[in-house]
Amino acid sequence: SIERHKYIDAYSFFNHAVKLEPLSPKYNWEAAQAALALRQRSLALPHIQVAWDGGMKTREVLEARLECTTFKGPAESLAASLEWLREMPDTEERRELEGNLQFRAGKHEEALRLWSAIYEKSPSGRLSGRIALTYATMKQVDKAEAFLKPLRGGPHLDEEGYVLLAVLLAQRDVVAETDEVLKEGRAKFPAGERLRLQQAVFCLEQGREKEVVVLLDPMKERSQKPDEEELRHQARIYLGLALAQASDTAGLEALLALAAGDAPWLEGERLFYGVMRAALRGEHPAPEDLNRARTLLRGHPAVEWSGARAHANAGRWAHAVTGYRAIEGLLSLAPAVQV
């Protein structure tokens, strides 16, 4: 793809610069970022280490180092990351990052302690969402909801906080209030793609396919930014399901064209859209295509839903019921907040 060649060219350029200035933190970090965009962690790691040792002791570099380093388990990962963290200045940002690391290692109470102490002095939307997510992860969903609700409309509830509150309400099947929170959040953060995706998934669950298409069509284009492309990838799959439910063959054709490329997840998209297009044409999609799509798309709820519906249409009721039960509650959680 054009994007892949762009990152290959970028890596070649900065790797050449590194050969000229081997200890340059700037050139090494640029080379590392290009390698990460290509998902070449083994190429990125030496550059990351040089950047870190050269003084770039930042959150971004530390997280990239963690991503590229192989550990035996969460305990070893946490121990190494805390050791690296001690090399950074003792600031609120560092303590917040320590909370992130504790959370990822499953030390939820310690993460909550660190974040709550910072929030008391310097409240922010970013921290409020993380505190509420920690409560929810600890099975204290009532506390999570009670923490977020009073923050609505104020400066301390950001886009991801609205997403999490909507997820919590949807899980309790409070339809009207979920709708209200999503619309309020979208009005406050009109450019927020995570909120747009969450609202679309909620509408899909409610059988409002036309709204889903309107919400997700602007998110179908590919992005050169890896994090943004991951969100767009999710949006395209949900959009594909909504288009199939609306019998929109032309829309599925457009998604097929957008999924050109040799990456496994793009192959999964093409197989998924192809299966649904075949069904709309009255053809019998090959079961192996759907199974391959499920594997490549890692059990995405929209694909599982489509598979369960295919079983139902073919009269395989036991398989259909099993499929629908397997995804129960997953749709509203799928795009939820991440730390």
Side-chain angles (χ1 to χ4, degrees), residues 204-240:
L204 191 61
E205 286 189 298
Q206 301 301 312
R208 292 149 50 183
E209 291 86 4
K210 290 183 179 179
E211 292 178 60
V212 177
V213 174
V214 170
L215 284 163
L216 295 185
D217 192 70
M219 288 182 66
K220 69 184 179 185
E221 299 296 331
R222 301 269 293 277
S223 172
Q224 295 181 17
K225 300 175 183 177
D227 289 346
E228 189 173 72
E229 172 56 18
E230 174 58 29
L231 204 60
R232 299 284 180 90
H233 166 66
Q234 297 291 328
R236 287 193 299 271
I237 298 172
Y238 283 114
L239 176 59

Side-chain angles (χ1 to χ4, degrees), residues 14 18-19 21 29 59 68 81 87 155 177 183 194 257 270 322 329:
F14 287 111
V18 165
K19 289 177 181 177
E21 295 187 44
W29 179 233
R59 169 180 176 163
C68 297
S81 60
E87 298 180 38
E177 193 174 358
K183 287 176 179 176
R194 195 172 293 277
R270 291 195 300 275
T322 300

Side-chain angles (χ1 to χ4, degrees), residues 59 99-101 103-104 115 129-130 133-134 160 337-339:
R59 169 180 176 163
N100 295 358
L101 299 171
F103 182 91
R104 293 173 194 173
W115 288 335
R130 289 176 181 175
L133 178 62
T134 307
E160 292 199 342
V337 178
Q338 299 177 358
V339 172

Side-chain angles (χ1 to χ4, degrees), residues 12-34:
S12 297
F13 176 83
F14 287 111
N15 192 45
H16 178 70
V18 165
K19 289 177 181 177
L20 297 176
E21 295 187 44
L23 299 181
S24 167
K26 180 180 185 300
Y27 291 150
N28 273 284
W29 179 233
E30 293 289 355
Q33 290 179 92

Side-chain angles (χ1 to χ4, degrees), residues 5 7 26 36 53 69-70 82 140 142 151 153 170 174 184 195 212 254 261-262 267 290 300 306 315 330:
H5 284 299
Y7 288 123
K26 180 180 185 300
L36 286 170
D53 292 340
T69 304
T70 302
L82 292 178
Q140 299 176 28
D142 292 344
L151 303 178
V174 188
E184 179 183 298
L195 255 172
V212 177
D262 55 3
E267 181 190 349
L290 183 57
H300 191 286
S306 180
L330 282 179

Side-chain angles (χ1 to χ4, degrees), residues 9-266:
D9 290 344
Y11 181 76
S12 297
F13 176 83
F14 287 111
N15 192 45
H16 178 70
V18 165
K19 289 177 181 177
L20 297 176
E21 295 187 44
L23 299 181
S24 167
K26 180 180 185 300
Y27 291 150
N28 273 284
W29 179 233
E30 293 289 355
Q33 290 179 92
L36 286 170
L38 293 166
R39 305 192 179 195
Q40 297 294 323
R41 295 178 182 176
S42 60
L43 280 180
L45 184 57
H47 296 298
I48 292 167
Q49 290 174 330
V50 173
W52 179 268
D53 292 340
M56 292 187 72
K57 300 184 190 300
T58 66
R59 169 180 176 163
E60 291 78 15
V61 178
L62 186 143
E63 290 186 335
R65 190 176 181 183
L66 276 173
E67 180 185 344
C68 297
T69 304
T70 302
F71 298 102
K72 293 178 181 177
E76 186 181 38
S77 172
L78 180 60
S81 60
L82 292 178
E83 184 178 336
W84 298 335
L85 202 61
R86 281 192 283 272
E87 298 180 38
M88 296 175 65
D90 185 13
T91 62
E92 279 192 357
E93 182 184 25
R94 192 188 94 167
R95 290 191 289 276
E96 183 180 336
L97 178 55
E98 184 180 349
N100 295 358
L101 299 171
Q102 297 283 2
F103 182 91
R104 293 173 194 173
K107 307 289 186 180
H108 301 133
E109 290 185 359
E110 180 61 15
L112 188 61
R113 183 189 69 78
L114 288 160
W115 288 335
S116 297
I118 300 170
Y119 187 82
E120 284 181 15
K121 296 179 180 178
S122 307
S124 68
R126 183 180 62 256
L127 279 174
S128 67
R130 289 176 181 175
I131 290 168
L133 178 62
T134 307
Y135 280 131
T137 305
M138 295 167 66
K139 309 298 182 188
Q140 299 176 28
V141 290
D142 292 344
K143 278 189 178 181
E145 191 176 318
F147 183 79
L148 292 175
K149 273 189 173 181
L151 303 178
R152 284 178 57 182
H156 301 144
L157 190 63
D158 65 5
E159 180 193 355
E160 292 199 342
Y162 272 101
V163 169
L164 179 56
L165 180 56
V167 166
L168 295 171
L169 293 168
Q171 288 298 290
R172 290 203 294 112
D173 206 24
V174 188
V175 175
E177 193 174 358
T178 304
D179 216 3
E180 181 185 307
V181 165
L182 285 166
K183 287 176 179 176
E184 179 183 298
R186 291 264 294 114
K188 191 174 178 184
F189 301 100
E193 291 197 339
R194 195 172 293 277
L195 255 172
R196 180 184 285 271
L197 177 57
Q198 189 67 48
Q199 186 176 20
V201 172
F202 174 72
C203 289
L204 191 61
E205 286 189 298
Q206 301 301 312
R208 292 149 50 183
E209 291 86 4
K210 290 183 179 179
E211 292 178 60
V212 177
V213 174
V214 170
L215 284 163
L216 295 185
D217 192 70
M219 288 182 66
K220 69 184 179 185
E221 299 296 331
R222 301 269 293 277
S223 172
Q224 295 181 17
K225 300 175 183 177
D227 289 346
E228 189 173 72
E229 172 56 18
E230 174 58 29
L231 204 60
R232 299 284 180 90
H233 166 66
Q234 297 291 328
R236 287 193 299 271
I237 298 172
Y238 283 114
L239 176 59
L241 181 59
L243 290 168
Q245 291 180 340
S247 301
D248 188 342
T249 305
L252 288 172
E253 293 279 4
L255 288 181
L256 272 165
L258 282 169
D262 55 3
W265 64 92
L266 293 174

